[in-house]
Amino acid sequence: MEWIVVVVYCTALLAIFLFSLGQLHLTWVYTRPKPEISREFNQSFEPVVTVQLPIFNEKYVAERLIDCVVKLDYPKEKLEIQVLDDSTDETVELINAKVEYYQLLGFDIQHVIRDDRKGFKAGALAYGTSICKGEFTAIFDSDFLPNPDFIKRTIGYFVNDNIGMVQTRWGHVNKNYSMLTEMQAFGLDAHFTVEQGGRNRSGSFMNFNGTAGIWRIACVFDAGGWSADTLTEDLDLSYRAQLKGWQFQFDESVESPAELPVIMSAIKSQQYRWNKGAAETAKKNLFKVFKSDQSFKTKAHAAMHLLNSSVFVLLLTASVLSIPMLYIKSSNPSLEWLFNLGSLFLIGFFSIAAFYYVGLKQIEKVKTKTAFLKKFPLFLSFSMGLALHNAIAVMEGYLGFKTPFIRTPKFNITKKTESWTSNQYIKPKLTWGTLVEGVLCVYFVWGIVSAWMLQDFGLIIFHLMLAIGFGIVFFHSLKHIKHA
């Protein structure tokens, strides 16, 4: 039994280490001088563009989004706006009034309501794309506030007929609202600099992030169109398109502001969808990547990309087994060399630290070291605390458990003084998962106690971060249930 624990624990650590090396390579690519690749961009290129706004029960932000989109600096005669409304509440009336108002002002804006609302967001996008006027579609989720120059700063890339999609960087209108929003921004900023930038510069596959990007409609159709058979229709279509030979462009200089979830239940619903959907997409497309004629480097990065959500399963496994490992080590002195070998995995930790440090430095540019030392340990703990929730989502994706598309509630909150408690969409409930998160917090406190009992402090920082992480997630889950 002890050997099973040792083998599983070491295997999980090895896999995490390999993932960290992938992140380190992206960091290295991102920090190298930009390659002298000619990126065609024609500022005078002004094709017909359709802006698609998929909405489902978003009474707090739907009008704000439409007001923002009509300010896009693009010729009216070449701009179509589709409000793809699947709502079942008063959002329908709010959108209808807003659309009629802007129609009277001469905007080509349509309130699109499907007879058959199957397929969730993917279904809405598929329907909108089938009837749109534009050659290109810009997509914005309801929590985004695109800047007026968004189209002018992105559409010019499409003079290159091989470009199928252009993705921009997400900004955050409520980054400083709370510790929870700061941690989300910290992680997303690294993704929208080092990860997306590194993938794009190295010629590896990257992904459309579901919003704040523009698609060439011919690319969407060539790749098979929008599909609702995974919870991440954006990642799925991205891989199908790139396997067809289409190129993607990431423009970090174009920021698209958006609202971050402000309560734990909303964060969890978003994380659940992203991680389960990624597992479903890996199951659907990874073998196709391996069979393709792409380079080994591209295949390796694609595997790391599609399987990235599996890190939560590995992390949860290694974490739970780490305390039994302390006792196994204590009772088996002959295995000391194996545990010493584990120190090599510190390289993985520093790889992850470098990844997030470079991302933070790129965004904040000033006082980076101080900010990083404050945020990174807390972010790492916070991510560890979500390991159970996200691991369950990943395993459901791999095992084929189908669940409905769960929207992330939007709040229209940007200031600390604003409250979310009156939001009618917030109905968090106490789940067994939340209770287990509380138990895991206590479990890792026991790991800290065990370190003192066994006089083995090699994992004490690891257990401290796990205890803090699960404690944060458990506390905020209960707090938001109480105040909802």
Side-chain angles (χ1 to χ4, degrees):
M1 181 63 182
E2 288 185 351
W3 276 105
I4 294 175
V5 172
V6 171
V7 170
V8 174
Y9 176 76
C10 292
T11 301
L13 283 182
L14 177 60
I16 293 171
F17 175 67
L18 293 176
F19 274 105
S20 71
L21 291 184
Q23 299 294 75
L24 182 62
H25 182 256
L26 289 177
T27 306
W28 181 82
V29 170
Y30 183 77
T31 54
R32 295 303 88 199
K34 291 184 179 181
E36 295 297 326
I37 299 176
S38 176
R39 296 289 187 184
E40 297 177 69
F41 190 97
N42 187 342
Q43 292 183 338
S44 62
F45 183 58
E46 291 184 342
V48 176
V49 175
T50 297
V51 178
Q52 296 180 318
L53 312 176
I55 293 177
F56 175 70
N57 293 353
E58 304 288 4
K59 63 176 285 187
Y60 301 105
V61 294
E63 294 173 294
R64 181 185 71 175
L65 172 65
I66 297 170
D67 288 336
C68 197
V69 168
V70 297
K71 295 176 184 176
L72 287 169
D73 183 15
Y74 204 69
K76 264 188 180 182
E77 67 276 10
K78 294 185 177 181
L79 182 67
E80 177 191 29
I81 301 171
Q82 290 182 334
V83 185
L84 305 174
D85 186 15
D86 279 354
S87 300
T88 57
D89 64 1
E90 60 265 44
T91 305
V92 177
E93 286 72 33
L94 294 173
I95 291 175
N96 194 59
K98 186 66 70 172
V99 167
E100 288 183 351
Y101 171 76
Y102 282 115
Q103 285 176 339
L104 292 174
L105 294 180
F107 287 91
D108 185 359
I109 180 170
Q110 306 300 323
H111 188 189
V112 181
I113 299 178
R114 297 185 288 160
D115 293 330
D116 183 354
R117 292 171 173 171
K118 291 182 180 178
F120 309 107
K121 179 181 176 181
L125 290 171
Y127 181 76
T129 302
S130 70
I131 61 172
C132 73
K133 301 175 183 176
E135 301 171 62
F136 303 89
T137 58
I139 300 170
F140 295 102
D141 283 347
S142 59
D143 50 341
F144 275 72
L145 296 89
N147 291 315
D149 61 355
F150 176 86
I151 296 179
K152 285 194 171 181
R153 294 183 63 185
T154 53
I155 197 65
Y157 286 112
F158 289 102
V159 295
N160 181 344
D161 292 335
N162 295 318
I163 296 293
M165 190 279 297
V166 176
Q167 176 66 52
T168 65
R169 177 172 59 85
W170 293 5
H172 320 292
V173 297
N174 60 340
K175 174 180 178 179
N176 298 318
Y177 180 79
S178 68
M179 180 272 290
L180 295 181
T181 55
E182 286 185 6
M183 292 303 97
Q184 293 173 80
F186 183 86
L188 287 170
D189 286 345
H191 171 73
F192 281 102
T193 52
V194 183
E195 187 168 5
Q196 289 287 57
R199 292 188 192 285
N200 201 216
R201 291 181 193 180
S202 67
S204 300
F205 285 4
M206 56 168 284
N207 63 291
F208 171 57
N209 291 100
T211 178
I214 301 186
W215 282 88
R216 186 191 298 272
I217 290 181
C219 169
V220 174
F221 286 148
D222 184 51
W226 294 102
S227 173
D229 61 356
T230 73
L231 291 180
T232 46
E233 70 291 324
D234 45 10
L235 180 61
D236 173 38
L237 181 59
S238 296
Y239 266 76
R240 285 188 280 119
Q242 288 168 107
L243 285 169
K244 281 279 191 174
W246 290 96
Q247 297 174 12
F248 285 5
Q249 176 67 44
F250 175 62
D251 193 335
E252 180 185 322
S253 69
V254 181
E255 181 185 62
S256 298
E259 176 186 313
L260 294 161
V262 298
I263 64 172
M264 186 58 69
S265 62
I267 295 171
K268 282 183 171 180
S269 67
Q270 188 178 71
Q271 289 283 316
Y272 175 87
R273 190 173 66 251
W274 287 352
N275 285 285
K276 181 175 181 178
E280 291 174 331
T281 303
K283 186 178 177 181
K284 178 179 178 180
N285 292 298
L286 186 56
F287 187 64
K288 297 175 184 176
V289 172
F290 289 149
K291 286 178 61 180
S292 72
D293 57 0
Q294 299 293 324
S295 67
F296 174 80
K297 180 193 70 174
T298 299
K299 290 179 180 180
H301 270 300
M304 295 287 185
H305 189 191
L306 288 174
L307 297 174
N308 189 54
S309 61
S310 303
V311 169
F312 287 106
V313 178
L314 299 168
L315 175 60
L316 183 65
T317 301
S319 300
V320 170
L321 294 181
S322 62
I323 297 177
M325 286 293 287
L326 285 176
Y327 290 91
I328 291 173
K329 178 183 177 182
S330 177
S331 60
N332 294 273
S334 62
L335 295 178
E336 183 73 23
W337 66 271
L338 181 61
F339 292 91
N340 290 336
L341 190 65
S343 62
L344 291 175
F345 293 105
L346 285 174
I347 298 173
F349 173 80
F350 289 118
S351 299
I352 298 297
F355 177 83
Y356 285 103
Y357 177 78
V358 172
L360 183 68
K361 183 179 180 181
Q362 182 64 18
I363 296 297
E364 298 204 354
K365 301 186 184 301
V366 295
K367 299 180 180 178
T368 305
K369 293 180 180 178
T370 302
F372 180 78
L373 292 174
K374 289 180 179 179
K375 293 181 179 182
F376 179 64
L378 185 58
F379 169 77
L380 212 55
S381 296
F382 178 62
S383 299
M384 290 176 176
L386 286 168
L388 173 67
H389 177 269
N390 290 347
I392 293 171
V394 171
M395 292 310 300
E396 285 185 358
Y398 286 137
L399 295 174
F401 294 165
K402 292 299 180 182
T403 49
F405 185 99
I406 301 175
R407 58 180 286 279
T408 303
K410 313 302 187 302
F411 301 87
N412 196 2
I413 287 179
T414 58
K415 300 176 182 178
K416 291 185 177 183
T417 55
E418 295 174 322
S419 173
W420 55 268
T421 55
S422 61
N423 190 308
Q424 72 178 43
Y425 302 123
I426 304 301
K427 299 177 181 178
K429 298 178 180 179
L430 183 62
T431 65
W432 69 265
T434 298
L435 295 175
V436 175
E437 287 163 350
V439 171
L440 285 171
C441 175
V442 175
Y443 177 70
F444 292 114
V445 169
W446 171 249
I448 298 170
V449 173
S450 297
W452 291 98
M453 293 172 56
L454 300 172
Q455 288 297 293
D456 185 344
F457 302 101
L459 294 175
I460 193 168
I461 295 178
F462 182 50
H463 291 152
L464 177 62
M465 295 178 71
L466 284 163
I468 292 173
F470 279 105
I472 289 173
V473 172
F474 178 66
F475 170 76
H476 282 282
S477 296
L478 292 184
K479 176 184 175 182
H480 295 150
I481 291 171
K482 177 182 177 181
H483 294 303

